[in-house]
Amino acid sequence: QDLGVKAGPFRVVIAGRPNVGKSALFNRLLRRRRSLVHDLPGVTRDVLDEEGSLPDGRTFRLLDTGGFDPSGHEEIPSAVRRKALEAIRKADLLLLVVDGAAGIVPADRAAAEAARHSGVETIVVANKIDRKESESGELEAWELGFPEVYGVSAEHGIGADDLLAAIGSRMQPAGDEAAAGAGETPEPE
């Protein structure tokens, strides 16, 4: 019987409108460069899926989605939007990234509404807080109505450790992974 626990590794999906720094955050949380970072919106087209790890050695799947604008205001191909929605539906935790320097815009509110409808636990990540114009951006991010907001600078690593700790707090404690997977055949390294 399904008790609401998803099989397989803990899945963290990074989503948000184009050009808010999702790929930079993906790279920062992985602590290695895996996703292409560019100033042009819409560079990430496919969902990137990599293994991330916490300082205590626990691992999780981290997925970087293409720009997500459920309102359709941004020129995002429907296939990119569909892939993002599919990844979100399979997530254990959603990191909804907004641009703290730009403040909350209608596309952020639409993405927040889509996150609520997905039923997936969501943390708001106000990125680019290192910029002078972002002083009120983190405060504005609370207006989206989620219980947790983290101010980060993916580019400079500010707040990344706190975000990893938030991910870890939702995962099984170290040592419980073996018990949870008892009876399963371990995958060869």
Side-chain angles (χ1 to χ4, degrees):
Q1 91 191 35
D2 182 13
L3 299 174
V5 177
K6 294 179 180 163
F10 192 80
R11 295 169 59 90
V12 179
V13 173
I14 298 172
R17 65 183 173 83
N19 246 26
V20 294
K22 295 180 301 298
S23 294
L25 182 65
F26 181 78
N27 290 338
R28 178 63 63 183
L29 293 176
L30 289 175
R31 294 185 295 279
R32 60 190 185 273
R33 190 176 174 96
R34 283 288 185 238
S35 189
L36 184 62
V37 178
H38 200 282
D39 286 339
L40 289 173
V43 171
T44 303
R45 296 289 180 177
D46 291 318
V47 174
L48 302 175
D49 182 343
E50 292 279 336
E51 183 175 82
S53 64
L54 299 174
D56 65 9
R58 289 180 293 163
T59 60
F60 59 94
R61 300 305 304 178
L62 186 63
L63 291 83
D64 181 16
T65 63
F68 174 67
D69 177 19
S71 66
H73 294 312
E74 298 281 349
E75 291 186 22
I76 302 168
S78 61
V80 174
R81 187 179 295 115
R82 191 172 56 252
K83 288 176 188 175
L85 283 168
E86 187 177 309
I88 289 168
R89 280 194 293 274
K90 294 178 182 175
D92 294 298
L93 179 64
L94 177 60
L95 302 182
L96 179 60
V97 184
V98 298
D99 183 339
I104 300 302
V105 300
D108 294 322
R109 293 186 196 287
E113 195 56 34
R116 263 189 283 290
H117 277 61
S118 75
V120 175
E121 184 178 9
T122 301
I123 293 175
V124 177
V125 180
N127 191 23
K128 306 181 186 181
I129 62 160
D130 55 309
R131 299 182 181 178
K132 185 177 185 293
E133 61 272 19
S134 71
E135 291 172 4
S136 64
E138 187 177 348
L139 286 174
E140 273 188 50
W142 287 99
E143 294 174 14
L144 295 175
F146 292 96
E148 282 182 76
V149 173
Y150 287 85
V152 305
S153 168
E155 186 179 349
H156 298 290
I158 299 167
D161 290 342
D162 292 339
L163 200 49
L164 283 169
I167 292 168
S169 73
R170 288 157 170 85
M171 295 172 59
Q172 292 186 355
D176 284 1
E177 291 176 336
E184 293 178 16
T185 307
E187 292 183 29
E189 297 281 322

